[in-house]
Amino acid sequence: IMLLTDPEIESSLLISSDEGATYQKYRLNFYIQSLLFHPKQEDWILAYSQDQKLYSSAEFGRRWQLIQEGVVPNRFYWSVMGSNKEPDLVHLEARTVDGHSHYLTCRMQNCTEANRNQPFPGYIDPDSLIVQDHYVFVQLTSGGRPHYYVSYRRNAFAQMKLPKYALPKDMHVISTDENQVFAAVQEWNQNDTYNLYISDTRGVYFTLALENVQSSRGPEGNVMIDLYEVAGIKGMFLANKKIDNQVKTFITYNKGRDWRLLQAPDTDLRGDPVHCLLPYCSLHLHLKVSENPYTSGIIASKDTAPSIIVASGNIGSELSDTDISMFVSSDAGNTWRQIFEEEHSVLYLDQGGVLVAMKHTSLPIRHLWLSFDEGRSWSKYSFTSIPLFVDGVLGEPGEETLIMTVFGHFSHRSEWQLVKVDYKSIFDRRCAEEDYRPWQLHSQGEACIMGAKRIYKKRKSERKCMQGKYAGAMESEPCVCTEADFDCDYGYERHSNGQCLPAFWFNPSSLSKDCSLGQSYLNSTGYRKVVSNNCTDGVREQYTAKPQKCPGKAPRGLRIVTADGKLTAEQGHNVTLMVQLEEGDVQRTLIQVDFGDGIAVSYVNLSSTEDGIKHVYQNVGIFRVTVQVDNSLGSDSAVLYLHVTCPLEHVHLSLPFVTTKNKEVNATAVLWPSQVGTLTYVWWYGNNTEPLITLEGSISFRFTSEGMNTITVQVSAGNAILQDTKTIAVYEEFRSLRLSFSPNLDDYNPDIPEWRRDIGRVIKKSLVEATGVPGQHILVAVLPGLPTTAELFVLPYQDPAGENKRSADDLEQISELLIHKLNQNSVHFELKPGVRVLVHAAHLTAAPLVDLTPTHSGSAMLMLLSVVFVGLAVFVIYKFKRKIPGINVYAQMQNEKEQEMISPVSHSESRPNVPQTELRRPGQLIDEKVESQLIGE
């Protein structure tokens, strides 16, 4: 016995090995959220902690060992005997630091990183791992669509094949019994219904079993499919199907090959006839199974009572939530009887020999009902002298159990009460052979079900004896195969005449596409026998797929895709390319792949590329990947345009701080790193309600009115979007002045935007204090790079009333005052105690400067120096052109080219050392002759 302490008090286990006589406490260093016991080894346990760690114990919780961190809740499983060689193998879904999930396996006591395996290569969708019987399922979404993969008996994963245009949105594995997968799939055009699909043995190829099965949401948001597998009879299911907004209950005896409505009872509870004619009226059942282990739910069946089904429902044209009664079938769903007019919980005892019914009510009760003849008659019994609020009922496990426990409370304030009910005293003997009669399983008189005739032994209704081991004994005889034992194969659909014909999207010859000349493959007849069907002879040979020699085929339908279905790859990382061929000899085929970056590879057959072709791109760009396939009968080719990118880390918007009205302004998005692949730029500026979208990182625009304007650029690179925002002031005119500083400021300049903004505010404050000029007239922008420089803008200011706007002469006076104070070293500030920084007037500019990032300030200086040196070269050639023969024409052409290069460049930038004595308005030019002379000097 194991008890868990209250985690709010302590984290411990109390373990007893003597049926609870004594307990020993074991303290834990983690808090248990759930436990999973091994199906065979009683001392092996997996414990999931509240911090998403998985622990294992081989000593019934006395000692624990960490297996894995970051495990997804409820996505860990023990090994399945028959599929895993190691009984201590653990399957789990673990989440990486960046939020991805992957499927891992390891031994419970040896789960180090070196000993972990990853059966499915790459990542899987979060919360998608399922390990059930011989199957493992995972999901991987690419291109906005989920793709489902299955591994049968722990072999390599294969993609599950649904009909081509099913386009699933969601999938739930319903059953994996008898080497077959029953799955509910919600297709692209469904919202509250699912389609049922059934697979081949490997769980790869799925065919439709039933459309539009009703679904609902459970209390915790989980999807609940209205499908019920009847216990004890393989291949038998009940489903609620939605037809024209009506929900009706259908039954199948051959795993979905055929479905029919339920025949309503002939009489009601009072013996009055029921007028209900198929298909307009039938019996409809609620198929939800209780998730609470202490309540029976609203439908029940048992493996040890294969013919008895008890459920709640109604009679009519559709399933209803009102007027609910209880019904029982004792012949496996062929006929039904009404047993109660209200919902009851029904418990099976003595392998269905005794049925116990207890009313569903919120009121306290004293009585229960017993039936010894499979629900034909019921007797009322009292189980407590005081009415009890019933919370649940448990039947003791075991073949011959006749004991049940009712638990609840006498009042809402009382403690729990348990009432043990033992029915052994009702029987005075065990059943003998003569107490049983044979009963043949059938479907509306058809005895061959799933290819066999099955005869069960049932206790005669008038005999009151305890069944014991005789219950459920069975004889089986195979039937001759008929068309009814075969379902349509993958890619085929059943038509009104009963024939299975290829769907419009399916090419039957594609089944031989993985086949090589000289080998053979199974050529489908369009039919496949229902899995677990035991029929023999008859039409089996006619409908079974035939081995056929592989035909020689020229390559056709060649495709090359990435393994994840994306058209992007990351620079410096492996990208896996998959070559897919619809038809062609896979063994005698030459494959040539050119990656588009100067590297190419060749393979001698297609099978050698099954795991994909891996390649690493060292550069960013769009690469044309080509694949050519050749064999003796022909060739085919395909192209993939692959975008190789690297992550965008930073965006900086470069534009002037101030500009004049109606003047063209250039804005540039500067990226780090500069080459990241294909980008989209989204620009927001001015009062525009719609953005400007470009593929270039620069735009030009004008502002027609004065004021402060915000410009934002968003750069989209793959799944990442980065942005930067700047503010630009717009005026009819302004003045600007370059500032420099005492060299000690460079020692404290980290060259980051935040520091430049803070220092700009300090400089502006010192200018206002030194000159008395109102702060509204001054804008200071510290520029990137070293040595530290800044741009001082003298701006017009107009009060909110629209009066007292400064004129051009006023701006000149303010500018002269600022220059005067700067030249007198009157402008300074204290950076930190003992560090005094002087502000100087460096030189004047003819236009506002642009804030460039440090990575580009070096490039700008290099261009500036290039212009100067070219200018010097022009001057030298001009000086000595009379002494060098044949140089005249070249010098003249070079001088013209130099004029073209110099003209767009800011004159102040091309003359950094020329002293100037007066401020110029933006756009004012110096005489060209003087310009040439200055460059020459």
Side-chain angles (χ1 to χ4, degrees):
I1 302 174
M2 176 185 289
L3 302 177
L4 277 68
T5 59
D6 185 346
E8 294 185 1
I9 299 174
E10 62 174 302
S11 181
S12 300
L13 293 177
L14 299 173
I15 298 175
S16 172
S17 300
D18 52 12
E19 298 187 356
T22 60
Y23 285 89
Q24 189 170 356
K25 179 184 285 189
Y26 295 87
R27 293 194 176 274
L28 302 174
N29 59 358
F30 61 93
Y31 290 93
I32 293 177
Q33 181 169 312
S34 62
L35 294 172
L36 183 65
F37 290 82
H38 194 279
K40 300 293 183 183
Q41 301 290 335
E42 63 179 19
D43 288 339
W44 293 2
I45 313 172
L46 296 178
Y48 186 73
S49 69
Q50 295 180 3
D51 56 354
Q52 298 187 338
K53 295 178 181 178
L54 188 65
Y55 297 83
S56 68
S57 174
E59 303 173 37
F60 199 70
R62 295 175 178 85
R63 187 177 292 110
W64 294 91
Q65 181 174 330
L66 177 65
I67 293 182
Q68 174 71 33
E69 298 182 359
V71 177
V72 178
N74 301 317
R75 298 297 176 180
F76 50 90
Y77 309 86
W78 283 110
S79 64
V80 176
M81 302 308 295
S83 291
N84 294 110
K85 297 178 181 178
E86 305 90 355
D88 62 343
L89 192 72
V90 178
H91 304 258
L92 58 92
E93 179 183 330
R95 191 167 285 141
T96 61
V97 178
D98 54 2
H100 293 101
S101 288
H102 49 190
Y103 166 34
L104 301 176
T105 60
C106 63
R107 308 286 287 273
M108 63 178 288
Q109 297 291 313
N110 187 20
C111 199
T112 61
E113 190 167 348
N115 292 304
R116 292 185 199 126
N117 292 317
Q118 191 168 344
F120 186 83
Y123 296 127
I124 64 175
D125 286 356
D127 204 27
S128 71
L129 174 66
I130 298 174
V131 179
Q132 194 167 304
D133 295 327
H134 296 310
Y135 301 91
V136 180
F137 305 92
V138 297
Q139 176 180 320
L140 178 63
T141 298
S142 63
R145 293 182 185 174
H147 301 278
Y148 303 93
Y149 295 83
V150 62
S151 166
Y152 177 62
R153 291 190 175 274
R154 309 306 182 257
N155 292 315
F157 278 88
Q159 186 169 346
M160 297 163 68
K161 301 289 188 180
L162 294 165
K164 186 173 182 179
Y165 295 107
L167 305 179
K169 296 190 294 186
D170 189 26
M171 175 185 285
H172 296 272
V173 175
I174 303 296
S175 167
T176 52
D177 294 343
E178 299 173 333
N179 296 325
Q180 190 173 37
V181 179
F182 220 143
V185 176
Q186 188 171 60
E187 300 187 13
W188 64 274
N189 57 350
Q190 293 178 304
N191 293 316
D192 59 351
T193 61
Y194 282 71
N195 288 350
L196 295 182
Y197 284 90
I198 196 162
S199 77
D200 61 349
T201 301
R202 294 190 304 132
V204 174
Y205 291 100
F206 284 78
T207 55
L208 184 65
L210 185 66
E211 291 184 294
N212 296 320
V213 177
Q214 181 72 10
S215 70
S216 59
R217 291 280 176 180
E220 298 179 358
N222 53 311
V223 176
M224 298 167 59
I225 312 294
D226 274 18
L227 177 73
Y228 181 76
E229 184 174 7
V230 179
I233 301 177
K234 64 178 181 179
M236 184 175 174
F237 290 85
L238 291 160
N240 284 332
K241 178 179 179 178
K242 193 171 185 179
I243 304 174
D244 297 330
N245 292 321
Q246 290 186 325
V247 178
K248 300 174 184 285
T249 301
F250 287 79
I251 189 170
T252 180
Y253 293 87
N254 52 11
K255 282 195 171 180
R257 173 19 176 113
D258 300 291
W259 296 84
R260 63 171 175 83
L261 294 166
L262 296 180
Q263 177 67 58
D266 294 329
T267 59
D268 61 14
L269 198 58
R270 299 170 186 82
D272 298 328
V274 174
H275 301 286
C276 186
L277 183 64
L278 290 173
Y280 311 104
C281 173
S282 59
L283 174 64
H284 309 285
L285 305 177
H286 293 276
L287 303 180
K288 292 182 176 60
V289 180
S290 172
E291 296 182 359
N292 184 348
Y294 309 117
T295 58
S296 65
I298 52 181
I299 184 167
S301 60
K302 293 290 181 184
D303 287 325
T304 52
S307 63
I308 304 174
I309 309 169
V310 181
S312 67
N314 64 280
I315 298 171
S317 60
E318 62 177 321
L319 182 66
S320 172
D321 290 325
T322 60
D323 194 23
I324 297 175
S325 300
M326 295 296 298
F327 298 89
V328 65
S329 174
S330 55
D331 58 1
N334 284 282
T335 61
W336 295 81
R337 296 183 301 276
Q338 185 180 8
I339 53 176
F340 298 106
E341 289 183 333
E342 296 177 285
E343 282 193 275
H344 285 63
S345 294
V346 178
L347 199 69
Y348 288 65
L349 298 178
D350 190 29
Q351 305 184 44
V354 180
L355 297 179
V356 183
M358 192 171 293
K359 186 177 179 181
H360 272 187
T361 176
S362 59
L363 301 175
I365 58 175
R366 295 172 52 191
H367 300 95
L368 49 77
W369 298 83
L370 293 181
S371 174
F372 300 95
D373 54 6
E374 299 179 341
R376 290 178 177 83
S377 61
W378 294 84
S379 303
K380 188 176 182 180
Y381 287 82
S382 174
F383 68 92
T384 175
S385 58
I386 303 174
L388 184 73
F389 289 95
V390 176
D391 294 301
V393 183
L394 278 177
E396 288 194 5
E399 285 189 0
E400 301 177 19
T401 182
L402 282 167
I403 299 174
M404 62 177 282
T405 302
V406 182
F407 58 95
H409 48 278
F410 291 129
S411 70
H412 292 295
R413 294 183 178 180
S414 68
E415 296 181 351
W416 286 69
Q417 309 292 326
L418 281 82
V419 181
K420 177 181 176 182
V421 186
D422 191 343
Y423 298 97
K424 285 183 181 177
S425 60
I426 296 177
F427 303 106
D428 54 5
R429 64 183 181 87
R430 287 184 177 272
C431 294
E433 186 70 29
E434 59 271 14
D435 294 313
Y436 290 90
R437 63 179 177 86
W439 174 77
Q440 185 171 56
L441 173 66
H442 65 94
S443 170
Q444 300 298 300
E446 174 55 57
C448 285
I449 295 177
M450 294 292 287
K453 295 178 181 178
R454 293 179 177 84
I455 298 176
Y456 294 80
K457 288 184 178 180
K458 301 187 84 172
R459 194 184 63 186
K460 296 176 181 177
S461 58
E462 68 274 9
R463 304 294 175 93
K464 189 177 284 188
C465 57
M466 192 166 63
Q467 295 199 80
K469 62 181 180 180
Y470 289 103
M474 184 182 68
E475 298 175 6
S476 179
E477 176 187 343
C479 296
V480 174
C481 290
T482 67
E483 190 267 342
D485 296 304
F486 289 81
D487 206 348
C488 290
D489 204 352
Y490 174 77
Y492 291 81
E493 296 173 336
R494 190 176 301 280
H495 287 242
S496 57
N497 60 1
Q499 281 188 300
C500 293
L501 300 176
F504 75 93
W505 50 266
F506 183 67
N507 179 12
S509 65
S510 65
L511 295 174
S512 64
K513 68 177 184 179
D514 296 329
C515 185
S516 297
L517 196 63
Q519 297 179 339
S520 61
Y521 73 102
L522 290 176
N523 187 18
S524 175
T525 61
Y527 298 84
R528 70 181 182 197
K529 195 166 80 166
V530 176
V531 175
S532 302
N533 187 296
N534 297 321
C535 72
T536 59
D537 301 329
V539 298
R540 185 176 66 170
E541 182 67 24
Q542 176 186 345
Y543 282 0
T544 301
K546 307 292 191 299
Q548 190 166 321
K549 291 292 184 181
C550 297
K553 293 183 179 180
R556 190 182 70 83
L558 180 66
R559 294 178 64 220
I560 182 167
V561 296
T562 58
D564 57 7
K566 298 178 180 178
L567 297 176
T568 59
E570 194 170 329
Q571 177 190 12
H573 290 71
N574 259 324
V575 58
T576 302
L577 300 171
M578 309 298 293
V579 177
Q580 300 171 350
L581 188 64
E582 283 189 10
E583 289 185 1
D585 188 347
V586 298
Q587 296 298 326
R588 294 175 173 82
T589 301
L590 176 65
I591 300 102
Q592 301 176 71
V593 180
D594 187 337
F595 298 107
D597 61 349
I599 300 175
V601 294
S602 297
Y603 298 89
V604 293
N605 57 63
L606 193 62
S607 58
S608 57
T609 67
E610 286 180 353
D611 296 331
I613 303 169
K614 291 182 169 55
H615 185 62
V616 177
Y617 285 90
Q618 302 298 337
N619 298 310
V620 168
I622 303 176
F623 295 88
R624 186 176 187 267
V625 185
T626 59
V627 58
Q628 173 90 16
V629 176
D630 298 275
N631 67 13
S632 59
L633 298 175
S635 64
D636 198 3
S637 62
V639 177
L640 170 68
Y641 295 98
L642 187 66
H643 294 243
V644 178
T645 63
C646 68
L648 180 61
E649 299 178 14
H650 180 69
V651 174
H652 173 81
L653 179 57
S654 171
L655 76 162
F657 301 103
V658 185
T659 188
T660 53
K661 189 170 67 172
N662 294 320
K663 181 181 178 182
E664 190 173 79
V665 177
N666 293 322
T668 301
V670 182
L671 311 179
W672 177 257
S674 59
Q675 297 295 326
V676 294
T678 306
L679 301 172
T680 303
Y681 299 84
V682 182
W683 305 86
W684 302 83
Y685 59 90
N687 296 321
N688 294 355
T689 57
E690 294 293 332
L692 173 66
I693 301 175
T694 68
L695 298 177
E696 298 294 334
S698 297
I699 63 169
S700 299
F701 49 88
R702 301 173 188 269
F703 293 104
T704 58
S705 58
E706 291 186 286
M708 303 300 292
N709 291 273
T710 299
I711 294 98
T712 297
V713 62
Q714 295 177 322
V715 184
S716 174
N719 294 327
I721 298 179
L722 277 70
Q723 77 173 35
D724 191 20
T725 300
K726 290 289 192 301
T727 301
I728 182 172
V730 180
Y731 296 98
E732 286 189 358
E733 56 181 333
F734 62 90
R735 304 292 181 271
S736 63
L737 173 67
R738 180 67 66 89
L739 301 178
S740 62
F741 307 91
S742 50
N744 59 348
L745 182 59
D746 293 346
D747 298 334
Y748 301 94
N749 185 352
D751 201 17
I752 60 175
E754 295 90 336
W755 185 88
R756 292 195 288 270
R757 284 194 293 269
D758 289 339
I759 289 297
R761 285 194 292 268
V762 174
I763 298 169
K764 177 178 178 178
K765 181 180 178 182
S766 62
L767 285 166
V768 171
E769 291 175 351
T771 62
V773 175
Q776 296 90 336
H777 287 293
I778 296 175
L779 174 65
V780 176
V782 180
L783 304 179
L786 294 174
T788 308
T789 58
E791 188 77 7
L792 168 62
F793 298 94
V794 182
L795 308 175
Y797 172 71
Q798 185 174 2
D799 60 29
E803 301 175 354
N804 302 322
K805 183 175 180 180
R806 297 281 183 171
S807 64
D809 293 338
D810 294 331
L811 296 182
E812 293 289 354
Q813 291 176 6
I814 295 173
S815 301
E816 290 173 2
L817 175 59
L818 288 168
I819 293 171
H820 176 70
K821 291 295 184 180
L822 288 167
N823 290 337
Q824 287 185 335
N825 292 334
S826 300
V827 183
H828 53 79
F829 61 89
E830 191 172 27
L831 186 65
K832 58 186 295 186
V835 180
R836 187 166 177 266
V837 178
L838 291 174
V839 184
H840 308 289
H843 57 270
L844 303 177
T845 61
L849 295 182
V850 175
D851 183 9
L852 296 172
T853 60
T855 55
H856 281 62
S857 60
S859 303
M861 186 59 70
L862 185 62
M863 179 177 287
L864 186 65
L865 292 174
S866 301
V867 171
V868 173
F869 283 122
V870 171
L872 289 172
V874 171
F875 176 76
V876 171
I877 292 171
Y878 176 78
K879 200 79 174 176
F880 297 99
K881 65 179 181 177
R882 295 178 182 176
K883 298 181 180 180
I884 304 176
I887 203 69
N888 296 341
V889 176
Y890 175 79
Q892 183 179 356
M893 291 172 61
Q894 184 67 15
N895 191 40
E896 291 172 356
K897 290 182 180 179
E898 194 59 30
Q899 290 298 324
E900 293 175 2
M901 290 182 61
I902 294 172
S903 58
V905 178
S906 170
H907 300 290
S908 60
E909 292 185 33
S910 60
R911 296 178 284 103
N913 298 317
V914 179
Q916 300 184 17
T917 57
E918 63 174 354
L919 258 153
R920 285 177 281 108
R921 296 184 178 89
Q924 181 181 348
L925 299 178
I926 298 176
D927 185 88
E928 292 182 3
K929 294 181 181 179
V930 179
E931 185 77 51
S932 300
Q933 184 180 353
L934 290 170
I935 291 176
E937 292 174 353

